[in-house]
Amino acid sequence: MARYKPQPIDGEFDLLIVGAGITGAGAARDAARRGLRVVVVDQDDVASGTSSRSSKLVHGGLRYLEQGEVSLVFEAVAERRVLQQIAPHLVSPLPFLLPVYKNSRRGMFTINVGMWLYDGLSLFRSPKIHESLSRKEVMKAEPSLRSEGLRGAPVYYDCATDDARLTLETLLDAVKAGAVVRTHTRVTRLERESGLVSGAVVVDGLTGKEHTIRARVVLNATGPWSDRTCSLTGDMSAPRLRPTKGIHLVVDSARLQVNHAIVGMHPKDGRVFFTVPWGEQTYIGTTDTDFDGDPSKVYADSNDVDYVLEAANEHFPDTNLNRDDVISTWAGVRPLVSEEAAENESSVSREHVIRVGADGLVTIAGGKLTTYRRMGAEVIDRVVDVLRGTGYPLSGLRASETDTNPLPGAVGWPEDEDDAVLAKRVLAAADGHIEGGTAGLLAATYGMRGLDIAAGVKADPSLAKPLVEGRPEIAAQVVWGVERELAVTVSDIMIRRTQLYYRDPRQGLDAVEAVVDLMRPRLGWNKKDADRSADAYRYEVERSSSWRVE
């Protein structure tokens, strides 16, 4: 039995990255692949903040066309294609249907012109070229959609993703290239030498042990915590964030089934929201409200849930969704950079800001999931500039080639492979010990590494046991999560490795003891450790459902 051993972090690195969200992960992968010595720390799990609580879409940003931001759309659709190539198991084509009604702001002709421009900016390399559906065709494709006043709808293509796993695999590739990652490790102080930030004092949240990390450059990639991280050096100048809260809710597809991602407008404020097919579930969101609390304690409240349900029932009037239909919710904080702060920064776009402080602390704030890889490359370019300014030898650095090298689950992916074909291979590799639903889950979740998990099940058939009776998630995923995917708490497994937290009607509570039994020997837990981790997960479920009794 493999035993988890945390990587040592005491010592000197070229780069310390604070934050293991999608931005930090992208930067770590780029830096490690260039040959820099990189260490990444996060006060919680990989992607535990905003990076696992998005709308789970990789898209070009169609709304930017209306605002005239053509270059932003071009960049995003180019990155969408790159991510499809390096992570085909995680970035999948998804058709979007945009219903046009009698009272819509734009008519069918104007919207179709925009669609041709959108396809053109992708150099006509979208998963599919858009098409225009008549009213009758729309109702055939989406019979639950409101028909009153419907004129038709264009169908265009972007991509869906598992945001948490995209972050995780990006970070795992950084580890493969030599990066060190320590989660549940909080920065308590940023160290200085000769007036410049030279590392950090961190505390392991699971053991209480303190460590000192020395680094030539420190990168602040903490998203909605960016301002707080800057304040650890006494620098209160920038970048100033305007964080906003967005929530999504999950319902069973038997209550609301859609065949496309439906783009709608909220009847109250006209805000765009999505209704997205998600296997046996459908998720709906999002909201956009100012948030000034602790980003680690953001949850949906009753007003949020009612707002999203109102939008859903307006567009799907026969469903009559109510609170009892909601299986789970997620809430995240968008680290938007305030316009006032952005105007004075040295490297600014509408999406993100990169700043090098007088103390040498590099901060990247803002940005979006789709363009994370390019953001990572851009911020590491700045890091290299800082290193060069210190006289540090850089002759041994190489090109990162993050646009052509696949993420771990796509290594060995045949050109003609798809999830269905891979699922059959996974089923065969398990030698009859798993069901077809589990094989499909392993293929879609882990890509080619699903074959390795299946081989592990063949070697130890007890790992085929479902975590929840009647569901496809199995014990082997817990073992894999601990031994291969940096999971060290029950919440890590339940929320971001298996997604039982969102998928199961009881949010995986019935699986907690089984998960603990699998994790305990591999992590060396005593009973107190095990109980603490299990109770923390139960509290998370309780807190995320508190809106039910408000």
Side-chain angles (χ1 to χ4, degrees):
M1 178 186 298
R3 179 79 174 270
Y4 170 79
K5 293 182 180 179
Q7 294 173 289
I9 54 177
D10 295 294
E12 185 167 344
F13 296 85
D14 297 325
L15 174 64
L16 163 61
I17 299 176
V18 185
I22 191 67
T23 304
R29 180 177 185 238
D30 192 281
R33 292 187 66 90
R34 293 195 199 195
L36 293 175
R37 294 171 297 168
V38 181
V39 59
V40 183
V41 300
D42 195 286
Q43 65 181 351
D44 203 325
D45 185 26
V46 175
S48 58
T50 308
S51 298
S52 62
R53 304 177 189 188
S54 72
S55 293
K56 305 184 187 302
L57 302 175
V58 170
H59 60 110
L62 187 62
R63 66 187 175 91
Y64 289 137
L65 285 184
E66 190 173 11
Q67 300 167 2
E69 299 287 348
V70 175
S71 61
L72 285 177
V73 179
F74 182 78
E75 177 181 294
V77 294
E79 282 303 292
R80 181 188 65 191
R81 181 168 175 79
V82 169
L83 295 182
Q84 282 185 269
Q85 293 172 331
I86 68 172
H89 59 306
L90 296 177
V91 181
S92 306
L94 178 67
F96 285 71
L97 186 145
L98 199 167
V100 179
Y101 290 92
K102 183 178 180 180
N103 61 348
S104 294
R105 285 189 306 162
R106 300 285 186 271
M108 285 291 293
F109 175 79
T110 302
I111 290 176
N112 273 318
V113 170
M115 292 297 167
W116 280 115
L117 178 57
Y118 194 56
D119 286 335
L121 287 171
S122 70
L123 306 180
F124 296 97
R125 293 176 179 173
S126 293
K128 288 185 181 179
I129 300 300
H130 83 277
E131 57 182 323
S132 184
L133 303 186
S134 67
R135 181 185 186 279
K136 184 177 180 180
E137 289 170 327
V138 172
M139 295 314 302
K140 183 177 180 181
E142 297 292 349
S144 60
L145 194 63
R146 175 166 60 90
S147 60
E148 182 182 356
L150 182 66
R151 294 291 179 84
V155 173
Y156 66 97
Y157 289 81
D158 270 315
C159 292
T161 192
D162 179 337
D163 49 3
R165 189 151 287 278
L166 183 63
T167 306
L168 175 63
E169 288 210 16
T170 298
L171 206 52
L172 291 176
D173 195 60
V175 171
K176 182 181 177 182
V180 174
V181 177
R182 285 288 289 272
T183 58
H184 300 277
T185 300
R186 181 170 57 91
V187 173
T188 59
R189 186 170 73 249
L190 290 175
E191 299 280 72
R192 288 179 184 242
E193 185 175 318
S194 302
L196 298 177
V197 174
S198 59
V201 176
V202 301
V203 174
D204 187 316
L206 303 179
T207 66
K209 292 182 179 179
E210 186 175 272
H211 303 267
T212 298
I213 302 173
R214 297 188 301 277
R216 296 180 181 277
V217 180
V218 176
L219 170 60
N220 171 17
T222 54
W225 291 269
S226 294
D227 289 348
R228 297 185 187 187
T229 304
C230 285
S231 71
L232 291 175
T233 70
D235 181 1
M236 306 298 292
S237 59
R240 292 183 296 277
L241 300 182
R242 183 186 174 185
T244 65
K245 172 186 175 183
I247 79 114
H248 294 75
L249 55 82
V250 180
V251 301
D252 196 289
S253 60
R255 288 292 289 118
L256 175 55
Q257 183 171 4
V258 291
N259 301 308
H260 304 70
I262 309 296
V263 185
M265 307 289 178
H266 197 283
K268 277 189 175 178
D269 55 19
R271 174 172 174 75
V272 172
F273 77 99
F274 298 101
T275 303
V276 183
W278 203 34
E280 61 191 15
Q281 281 93 26
T282 300
Y283 67 85
I284 314 162
T286 181
T287 58
D288 190 22
T289 54
D290 286 328
F291 182 80
D292 60 3
D294 183 346
S296 64
K297 298 178 181 177
V298 57
Y299 299 94
D301 60 32
S302 57
N303 290 333
D304 296 325
V305 172
D306 290 343
Y307 173 92
V308 175
L309 288 174
E310 180 183 11
N313 287 325
E314 171 73 14
H315 285 74
F316 306 96
D318 294 335
T319 58
N320 296 311
L321 293 175
N322 58 61
R323 291 187 180 191
D324 291 338
D325 293 310
V326 179
I327 296 172
S328 61
T329 65
W330 68 80
V333 178
R334 303 179 189 89
L336 303 180
V337 179
S338 69
E339 292 295 327
E340 178 183 355
E343 288 175 358
N344 300 315
E345 298 309 330
S346 58
S347 180
V348 180
S349 78
R350 285 181 58 89
E351 289 301 318
H352 67 276
V353 171
I354 297 173
R355 177 179 182 269
V356 180
D359 55 13
L361 178 67
V362 181
T363 297
I364 181 167
K368 57 191 286 187
L369 180 70
T370 303
T371 55
Y372 86 91
R373 190 198 64 82
R374 288 189 66 158
M375 288 167 54
E378 184 179 340
V379 75
I380 298 305
D381 283 343
R382 296 295 297 276
V383 167
V384 169
D385 288 343
V386 173
L387 286 171
R388 185 177 290 111
T390 67
Y392 184 66
L394 298 171
S395 59
L397 295 188
R398 55 187 178 270
S400 63
E401 298 180 336
T402 59
D403 58 337
T404 56
N405 283 280
L407 296 185
V411 174
W413 188 277
E415 287 190 11
D416 58 348
E417 193 79 285
D418 60 29
D419 285 352
V421 174
L422 181 56
K424 292 179 180 178
R425 294 179 60 189
V426 170
L427 190 64
D431 198 24
H433 293 296
I434 62 174
E435 302 293 332
T438 295
L441 173 70
L442 296 180
T445 303
Y446 302 96
M448 298 299 289
R449 298 194 307 161
L451 295 167
D452 298 324
I453 298 175
V457 171
K458 179 181 178 181
D460 182 359
S462 70
L463 296 180
K465 185 176 181 179
L467 296 175
V468 174
E469 195 63 37
R471 290 197 56 82
E473 297 86 0
I474 58 175
Q477 293 177 261
V478 180
V479 175
W480 185 267
V482 172
E483 296 181 353
R484 303 292 190 92
E485 294 186 338
L486 307 172
V488 292
T489 72
V490 172
S491 294
D492 295 350
I493 291 291
M494 303 293 277
I495 301 175
R496 289 165 292 274
R497 304 305 186 277
T498 67
Q499 295 190 338
L500 275 167
Y501 176 83
Y502 302 115
R503 299 287 199 166
D504 177 44
R506 281 186 42 77
Q507 295 190 260
L509 289 174
D510 296 330
V512 170
E513 292 304 322
V515 170
V516 166
D517 288 344
L518 289 161
M519 297 184 77
R520 179 186 292 172
R522 292 170 173 85
L523 293 169
W525 285 346
N526 57 32
K527 186 178 186 305
K528 183 178 179 181
D529 296 329
D531 289 346
R532 181 168 56 241
S533 193
D535 289 345
Y537 177 70
R538 293 187 181 104
Y539 175 77
E540 181 68 23
V541 172
E542 179 183 356
R543 185 64 184 84
S544 72
S545 303
S546 61
W547 57 268
R548 296 184 187 275
V549 294
E550 289 179 358

